Amino acid sequence: MAVQFSLPDSKSVSQPPSTLAYIVDRTFFFAAAAGALAIIVLVVYILWEIGGQALPAIGRHGASFLVNTRWDVQNASFGILPQIWGTLYSSLLALLIGGFIGVTIAIFLTQDFLPPAIATAFRTLIEMLAAIPSVVFGLWGIFVVIPFIRPAANWLHETVGFIPLFGTSLSGPGMLPAVIVLAIMILPTVAAISQDAIGLVPYKIKEAAYGMGTTRWEAILKVILPTASGGISSALVLGFGRALGETMALAMLIGNANQISLSLFSPANTLASLLASNFPEAGQVERQALMYAALVLLAITLVVNVIGTLILVWTSRKMAKA
Amino acid sequence: MKRKLIAMMATMFALAIQTPQANAADLRLIGSGASFPFPIYSAWFKDFSKKTPGVTVDYQAKGSGAGIQDLINKTVDFAASDAAMTPAEIAKVVDGVVLLPMTAGEIVLAYNLPGQPKNLKLPRDVYPDIFLGKITRWNDPRITAANPELKLPDLPITVVRRSDSSGTTFVFTKHLSAISPAFKAQVGTGTNVQWPQSDKIVAAPKNDGVTATVKQTPGAIGYIEYGYAKLTKADIALLQNKAGKYVAAGGTGGAAALAGAKLPADLIAWVEDPEQPEAYPIVTFTWLLFYGKQDPAKAEVLRKLVAYGLTDGQQIADSMGYIPFPPNVAETVRAAAVKIQ
């Protein structure tokens, strides 16, 4: 059935596919298609399930849920503006720190600054960071990071407290310790993918840049990084996504206070942390509100990923033009 | 290798044959709920399972609210709660609920001050105001006036509260509401309440999270179950009771508070503000929740379990940081246990 026509010359190098090869090919195709389809079905199912459970809360609170600032179980009045703010603020700051360090590490490890053996060892070490459980990061934050940054934070508050960023003193849990730990947690993701992206820049391009008389830094900043920018921005988007959804470490470090403050040293709250803290003992009404909050978190993640993809498309188009 | 494999298969085969027989004689009871009494419950259930052949009791500390949900959904044989059950929740259980107080505990205010000053005294008009964010510094005249012998630093007070909803919060806010009209009006009572908005009120998950945060934050104060403070050797404040005396947790103050408690017919009693001169002010019962009707064999074991908790179980309560029941309370509960059928 598979053999549509046969070549007269049996010594020909190319052979028509055998029935077995055909079956293997079809099976593989269907398996792959089923796998891809399953992912879509799964995402739709999760949305359906969460959306269905959130529906009563959506009906009850409507859009005011997004702008209210109180999470009041007693009076069944719920709002998640402080959590949305905290989620975005902490993730953006973490991306700023973790992204910068991650990309710097990627350059350092790929551009022959180190002997290859040491570079590989470094790389493995950074990837090992990704294997540390979130709870351990949280504990490390409480017992190491907070005492370590407290003197500096309080000195900043006393000397330049008029700047809103340093508007309050740091007592314990708060935005800054959470951001620092979050930055370290997204570092492996950003570093690993950026390294791959930079590694994909053809050697010829680098040689050509040197050939035109650029210095090493000119080659890195003006030739290699722009060429790899697509991969690097997807690394940043993935890192941001990770930061948005991080739960346990943040629940332990951010202070879980439902307030909006620019200060790095005030306690805040995030959506994921709200879910983790309140789910186990939530009654029916609160559970529905939490499902609504989960839906909002999903929507934020989706929007971030779409923006990331758009940036990717835009930069690659610009690259193609240049 | 091969021999090992055969041996393994033989064992598996033997197990496969044996299990159904073992099952017939085995009774496995599953419970879930409050984390506040988890240390003592796990010790009880382990010992009870060992002493009663053919019975295994498993308990999961999921939180009071989750335990009540499980009981309503019939996924457990019994549940546990620090906040008892509301009439609406009781109405949802078709087979009826028997609530039995099984042990009692104290909630303490753990603090962290430079130099570890011991025995900080907190008057009863002061500590509600600390949790309302009205008193914000450790050298506030109202605190220093009660503690002339301590040198209190000029340090902001960081209040640490529970971020998750919790029976501990319920009992604590119930007490504060009972002694402070301002607290009752502004915050009220609940497993998860609206604390005042402040930079100096932070939240941490679970009893251990609050304990760790207090221990790591100079100037912090937080409410936790006494057992956790005992375990971590945190400094705890002496609280002024209704009679005006400063009482430490962990002594005889807890039992004194319970002695005055009158258990009504449904056995749901709150010791919001004990009157005895020696009483520690923040104590609470914690309840086991049973179905009124079930398989007779199970009911019998559950009654035995209650009897064990009220006799042998009370012996270890003190050493684990809980309050042993006065004889009259134990007797009332034992009499009520016959309702488990």
Side-chain angles (χ1 to χ4, degrees), chain B residues 134-223:
Chain B
K134 283 185 190 156
I135 297 178
T136 57
R137 299 198 83 83
W138 281 106
N139 59 353
D140 189 284
R142 290 168 68 191
I143 303 179
T144 49
N147 297 280
E149 69 284 4
L150 296 184
K151 254 188 77 185
L152 292 169
D154 179 17
L155 197 68
I157 300 178
T158 303
V159 170
V160 187
R161 64 168 178 93
R162 286 282 288 267
S163 61
D164 47 336
S165 93
S166 123
T168 313
T169 305
F170 180 81
V171 173
F172 183 61
T173 52
K174 203 167 174 62
H175 169 71
L176 291 186
S177 295
I179 66 167
S180 156
F183 191 89
K184 189 175 184 177
Q186 206 185 323
V187 181
T189 304
T191 52
N192 194 350
V193 292
Q194 279 288 307
W195 296 93
Q197 298 279 313
S198 158
D199 277 334
K200 292 295 162 202
I201 297 185
V202 299
K206 305 277 168 208
N207 264 308
D208 16 5
V210 174
T211 315
T213 309
V214 169
K215 288 228 104 170
Q216 286 304 311
T217 311
I221 186 164
Y223 59 93

Side-chain angles (χ1 to χ4, degrees), chain A residues 12 16 105 107 113 127-128 155 183 189 191 203 206 208 266 287 307 319:
Chain A
S12 162
I105 288 176
I107 295 170
F113 286 98
E127 277 162 15
M128 268 170 65
W155 179 81
T189 315
Y203 203 65
K206 199 161 117 186
S266 327
R287 188 175 293 256
I307 292 175
M319 290 294 297

Side-chain angles (χ1 to χ4, degrees), chain A residues 108-167:
Chain A
F108 186 63
L109 293 185
T110 47
Q111 297 306 310
D112 313 323
F113 286 98
L114 290 173
I118 298 179
T120 316
F122 251 99
R123 197 186 163 132
T124 323
L125 216 63
I126 291 163
E127 277 162 15
M128 268 170 65
L129 276 180
I132 298 176
S134 185
V135 169
V136 176
F137 270 114
L139 285 175
W140 179 72
I142 291 179
F143 290 104
V144 180
V145 175
I146 292 177
F148 184 74
I149 61 173
R150 186 183 288 125
N154 287 340
W155 179 81
L156 272 174
H157 168 62
E158 271 152 38
T159 22
V160 285
F162 56 87
I163 302 174
L165 280 181
F166 311 122

Side-chain angles (χ1 to χ4, degrees), chain B residues 36 104-108 224-227 248-251 253-254 280 282-284 321 323:
Chain B
F36 170 95
E106 290 155 297
I107 291 168
V108 298
I224 49 177
E225 204 273 309
Y226 171 63
Y280 180 78
I282 322 176
V283 296
T284 180
I323 311 168

